[in-house]
Amino acid sequence: MKQDLRIIYMGTPDFAVAPLKALIEEGFNIVGVITSPDKPAGRGQKIMQSAVKQFADQYELKTLQPTNLKNPEFIEELKALNANFQIVVAFRMLPEIVWNMPEHGTMNLHASLLPQYRGAAPINWAIINGEKETGVSTFLLKHEIDTGDLLEQEKVTIDPNMTAGELHDILMEVGARLVVQSTSAIANGTTNPKPQQDLKLKAAPKIFKADCKIDWSQPIDQIHNFIRGLSPYPAAWSTIQAKEGGKKLTFKIQEVDKIIDRHNLEVGTIITDDKTEIKIAVKGGFIQLNKIQLEGKKAMETRTLLNGFKISEFELV
């Protein structure tokens, strides 16, 4: 039954590698992989392949890397693979001519409990919004993004101190299992697709750099959720200015603790011994900075940063 499915797999980042690996290990027939074109990355602008392309090459899978998903040549190459099922994990929005091509349709894995957190950044927004649980969903694609009939879902608890990076890794593994489970049901003809419920929805739009600036006037829980929801990427950031000379520096925050405490300090006051500790006074307590990345530098532990940097000479702006 598994070999009766001729599967095209579409994905780009690390998140999409685990489900592809699981499908191969379960004996499914992957007749082609679609991923993003190679592109320059990093300071040296070295040409880099996507994580999925690197993995597919290890298994000598047929790989296509179109720049335009509506390109007639790409459509013909896709048809020539003679697939009857497609799986999409962390890829681009597909045109109907692509997602509606195979006999058994196109299945997507989404890193939320749909219909909640439709959009590009469901993992980040679930933590930013202080959710206690999230999960993964498999569903069949249709016109409106992330709205197709649900196949299966699995819940995951969000620990109070969990970062987006940590949740990403958990959902990646859970999602891999769910993709195999749902694909097996497709192969066996035992699926029972259900329409998504019409609820009051929370969105998960793409996050831009400007969205990541910390508002230190917010309550402590909101700031804590915001920072861990953006860690390690794209990372919450703030700006400090020298008390003398006015030099400004932007810094990203990777790891924090929240300390609930009463104080009469002005919000945004920096508390430091210039040796081991940096705390920011906020409503309801302090945000303790454990790992920081100054602009132009690597991320480092607070103790290491303070070896050669006096943050007491700066203030938040």
Side-chain angles (χ1 to χ4, degrees), residues 157-311:
T157 299
I158 301 177
D159 182 86
N161 294 306
M162 186 179 287
T163 65
E166 291 165 342
L167 180 58
H168 167 282
D169 292 349
I170 292 170
L171 292 178
M172 181 172 63
E173 297 304 322
V174 175
R177 294 198 303 268
L178 201 69
V179 164
V180 168
Q181 191 173 312
S182 297
T183 306
S184 297
I186 293 285
N188 297 329
T190 57
T191 57
N192 182 27
K194 296 178 181 178
Q196 295 186 32
Q197 294 179 329
D198 187 14
L199 303 172
K200 184 177 180 180
L201 300 180
K202 299 174 183 177
K206 186 174 180 178
I207 297 172
F208 298 93
K209 182 181 178 180
D211 304 321
C212 300
K213 186 176 182 181
I214 300 167
D215 180 356
W216 296 104
S217 69
Q218 294 291 320
I220 189 169
D221 285 338
Q222 283 184 239
I223 296 173
H224 183 242
N225 292 342
F226 185 76
I227 293 171
R228 64 193 183 93
L230 295 171
S231 174
Y233 182 84
W237 61 272
S238 193
T239 304
I240 50 176
Q241 182 172 348
K243 295 173 183 176
E244 295 183 12
K247 179 183 178 181
K248 287 186 179 180
L249 290 173
T250 298
F251 65 99
K252 295 179 179 179
I253 301 174
Q254 300 284 1
E255 295 178 10
V256 297
D257 285 321
K258 66 176 180 179
I259 302 171
I260 306 299
D261 195 8
R262 292 183 180 181
H263 62 78
N264 296 316
L265 295 169
E266 183 179 350
V267 166
T269 300
I270 298 174
I271 310 298
T272 183
D273 59 3
D274 272 334
K275 293 180 180 179
T276 62
E277 182 179 74
I278 303 173
K279 297 190 296 187
I280 310 294
V282 298
K283 293 176 184 176
F286 300 91
I287 296 293
Q288 180 173 289
L289 311 187
N290 298 330
K291 192 173 185 180
I292 311 163
Q293 183 176 6
L294 288 178
E295 59 182 278
K297 306 289 185 180
K298 293 181 179 180
M300 60 185 77
E301 305 293 329
T302 297
R303 184 187 297 268
T304 304
L305 173 73
L306 292 175
N307 278 337
F309 183 78
K310 279 202 167 191
I311 199 165

Side-chain angles (χ1 to χ4, degrees), residues 85-90 104-119 136-153 178-179 182 186 193-196:
F85 187 53
Q86 292 178 155
I87 299 171
V88 182
V89 181
H104 297 295
T106 298
M107 180 180 77
N108 187 209
L109 173 71
H110 189 73
S112 80
L113 297 174
L114 290 171
Q116 299 297 355
Y117 295 108
R118 293 171 178 159
V136 286
S137 307
T138 51
F139 67 98
L140 296 173
L141 289 187
K142 67 175 190 177
H143 287 283
E144 296 80 13
I145 190 167
D146 296 339
T147 61
D149 289 352
L150 291 170
L151 297 174
E152 299 179 75
Q153 294 184 309
L178 201 69
V179 164
S182 297
I186 293 285
K194 296 178 181 178
Q196 295 186 32

